[in-house]
Amino acid sequence: MATTADAPQEATQHAAGDIAFSPHLAGASILVVDDEPGMRNFLVRMLASRCRHVAEAADVATASRLLEATPFDLIILDNIMAGRTGLEWLEELRGSGFYRDVILITAFADLETAIKALRAGAADFVLKPFRSNQILNAIARCLDRGRLMRENFVLRRELKALPGVGAMVGASNATRSVRGMIERVGPMPTTVLVTGESGTGKEVTARSLHDVSPRAGKPFVPVNCAAIAPEIIESELFGHLKGAFTGAASSREGLFFYAQGGTLFLDEVGELPPAMQSKLLRVIEDKKVRPVGAEREVPVDVRLIAATNCDLATAVAQGRFRQDLYYRLNVVNIHLAPLRERAADVEPLAHLFMAELSAQLGVPPLDLTDGVLRALARYDWPGNVRELRNVIERSLILGEFPSDVVPDAGEEPAVEDTDALPQALGAVEKAHMLKVLGEAGGNRAEAARRLGVSRKTLDRKLKAWNA
């Protein structure tokens, strides 16, 4: 047991000194583990007014129970305690899948202890007796480093992702209704299911929900469930321990960890394998995740937003998707209509993309004349908003609008041709899709990606055309 009864008094005497303050301290949850009541009380009093939540434990058994119930951002851990040392418990924590930072404090320290602490995974090492600013500086470093690590990870993922499909803009009744739903549902912790065809803006909707929520200052982590191989998706979402499977050379945190306190967006959730559906259901119910190879579950505080372009109700009826998971995800449904059903949105979206992309590409914007806007509004947009963005980008690069989308931009449509408009649009769609398929060398999966439609949609169209 540590014999540092004078530490709180000494630290209090220096509390008026220059104390570092992390901008992330106010939202932090910290666990203090020390068998000395005076030190626990001092640390709790010092942190209570600075942090969102502070808890204390006199031994590792109590601390373990607290960790099972609450997701802490940081642990302040005494090394020399009755029963088990802090280092022994820290090694057990790391081996069971706990990734958050731990500051080790001790009155008895030497070089060997410090080396063992670093090898066990301690983020910092503070020697008793310490001043208030010393422990606050250590806490600030840990919180800032952890936040920076998570932000860098999320930014790297976003840089690898495809370009966005624009903000939630539009003048149609359907878009105004969606904006109203976002404003109403966003501030609530409710799980939301966003549905709609590929390219309608499901991720934009999810980001908008996150931005108007109390979690807006925390990470938004998107993951495309269809783009991750079934054999590694559990590790990607929940993390894994070193040696948990072949190739796991080191422990790794999962996406739930990086989204802690924020929002995890599961796109194409209907593509999850059956085994993963069951595990996701348990996470939603228990608010805990178990890294692959770990024996203990880790509490998480994450809001889930899911999206799909398939009919999940039909998938449930066919036995391809768990009914109980569907009900858990579909608490609130936001459906995004295809762009062809909201022609009033084409003009504001075209202006938005033209301004954004011309600045990004460093080229002058093209003139969106009345004739061009009419042609864009008449086009069927099988790839929805994503295809509109791609058309604007391609037009800026080539210096003119593609003839398959804007055949006669400057001409008024003849009155006598009005009845033939649906057939003409169908012909344009067919020509465009076949052209893209040819450019992809007949690779339907690649052609569907370029068009911004699902592979099933492309197969159905080609079958109808006998192509």
Side-chain angles (χ1 to χ4, degrees):
M1 180 174 179
T3 57
T4 54
D6 60 331
Q9 180 181 359
E10 190 275 347
T12 304
Q13 292 172 351
H14 294 273
D18 184 20
I19 295 175
F21 180 77
S22 166
H24 310 304
L25 184 59
S29 179
I30 298 177
L31 174 61
V32 176
V33 186
D34 196 315
D35 63 350
E36 184 181 348
M39 180 57 71
R40 284 202 317 276
N41 292 337
F42 163 69
L43 289 171
V44 170
R45 286 199 311 272
M46 180 182 65
L47 295 171
S49 61
R50 294 178 168 92
C51 302
R52 176 176 60 84
H53 174 63
V54 180
E56 59 180 300
D59 51 63
V60 297
T62 304
S64 295
R65 289 194 294 271
L66 289 172
L67 281 181
E68 291 174 359
T70 305
F72 289 97
D73 299 302
L74 178 71
I75 297 177
I76 300 176
L77 174 63
D78 186 29
N79 185 31
I80 306 301
M81 293 186 290
R84 302 179 63 191
T85 68
L87 271 176
E88 290 173 344
W89 189 54
L90 176 56
E91 290 175 346
E92 179 184 309
L93 282 178
R94 294 305 189 215
S96 65
F98 182 84
Y99 300 112
R100 292 308 173 102
D101 283 345
V102 176
I103 297 175
L104 197 72
I105 58 176
T106 184
F108 306 96
D110 51 29
L111 181 59
E112 183 180 356
T113 303
I115 292 174
K116 286 182 178 179
L118 293 175
R119 286 177 176 173
D124 213 329
F125 189 82
V126 179
L127 182 64
K128 295 179 181 179
F130 50 78
R131 299 178 180 181
S132 297
N133 63 330
Q134 285 180 287
I135 192 68
L136 285 173
N137 277 326
I139 293 171
R141 286 194 299 270
C142 289
L143 293 175
D144 291 345
R145 183 174 59 245
R147 179 62 178 256
L148 183 62
M149 179 189 69
R150 291 191 294 274
E151 287 179 349
N152 285 343
F153 176 84
V154 173
L155 287 173
R156 285 196 301 270
R157 284 179 56 84
E158 290 183 345
L159 287 173
K160 293 178 182 178
L162 292 172
V165 293
M168 187 54 62
V169 301
S172 68
N173 291 333
T175 299
R176 283 197 291 267
S177 177
V178 169
R179 283 200 295 264
M181 286 284 288
I182 290 172
E183 292 173 2
R184 183 174 180 83
V185 179
M188 303 178 183
T190 309
T191 300
V192 179
L193 179 64
V194 185
T195 57
E197 294 181 7
S198 179
T200 49
K202 295 187 286 295
E203 182 171 337
V204 171
T205 303
R207 287 182 182 275
S208 299
L209 286 165
H210 173 75
D211 290 342
V212 300
S213 76
R215 301 172 179 267
K218 297 295 180 69
F220 175 88
V221 179
V223 52
N224 187 338
C225 300
I228 303 176
E231 59 269 17
I232 65 170
I233 192 166
E234 181 180 0
S235 170
E236 287 290 311
L237 290 178
F238 303 154
H240 64 260
L241 300 187
K242 180 179 179 180
F245 52 84
T246 303
S250 61
S251 297
R252 178 183 174 185
E253 300 87 353
L255 296 177
F256 270 91
F257 170 84
Y258 289 102
Q260 183 72 17
T263 302
L264 183 66
F265 173 55
L266 298 177
D267 197 9
E268 302 299 345
V269 71
E271 301 300 320
L272 283 175
M276 196 63 223
Q277 294 177 27
S278 176
K279 292 175 181 177
L280 177 61
L281 176 65
R282 181 166 182 177
V283 170
I284 296 174
E285 292 176 341
D286 299 342
K287 300 188 183 306
K288 295 180 180 180
V289 300
R290 185 193 299 273
V292 178
E295 296 182 358
R296 65 188 297 270
E297 294 182 325
V298 181
V300 291
D301 175 25
V302 172
R303 183 192 190 177
L304 279 178
I305 299 177
T308 181
N309 62 7
C310 69
D311 187 344
L312 282 188
T314 300
V316 169
Q318 296 174 347
R320 294 184 289 107
F321 199 82
R322 290 183 64 108
Q323 185 179 54
D324 43 7
L325 177 58
Y326 172 63
Y327 290 142
R328 283 286 188 177
L329 296 175
N330 196 32
V331 178
V332 174
N333 176 238
I334 297 180
H335 181 71
L336 304 181
L339 189 56
R340 61 182 174 273
E341 295 179 6
R342 43 189 176 103
D345 292 348
V346 172
E347 180 174 345
L349 283 170
H351 282 292
L352 172 70
F353 293 144
M354 187 64 72
E356 287 184 350
L357 292 170
S358 62
Q360 290 177 16
L361 297 173
V363 298
L366 298 178
D367 191 10
L368 291 169
T369 64
D370 291 342
V372 169
L373 292 172
R374 281 194 299 270
L376 293 177
R378 290 197 302 266
Y379 185 64
D380 197 40
W381 299 114
N384 292 295
V385 182
R386 185 181 292 119
E387 185 184 4
L388 173 59
R389 186 187 192 281
N390 292 344
V391 164
I392 297 296
E393 182 174 7
R394 185 163 70 249
S395 301
L396 284 167
I397 293 172
L398 299 178
E400 60 181 5
F401 293 99
S403 59
D404 55 342
V405 178
V406 188
D408 296 299
E411 297 182 8
E412 293 286 343
V415 175
E416 60 271 17
D417 291 340
T418 301
D419 294 337
L421 186 57
Q423 292 85 349
L425 289 175
V428 170
E429 177 189 18
K430 178 179 179 181
H432 177 60
M433 296 184 85
L434 291 177
K435 177 184 176 184
V436 173
L437 180 63
E439 292 173 349
N443 186 324
R444 295 190 178 188
E446 174 63 17
R449 188 191 67 79
R450 295 183 186 182
L451 289 165
V453 301
S454 67
R455 171 66 183 272
K456 292 180 180 179
T457 298
L458 180 59
D459 289 340
R460 176 171 52 80
K461 295 281 188 181
L462 294 174
K463 183 178 180 181
W465 298 328
N466 293 322

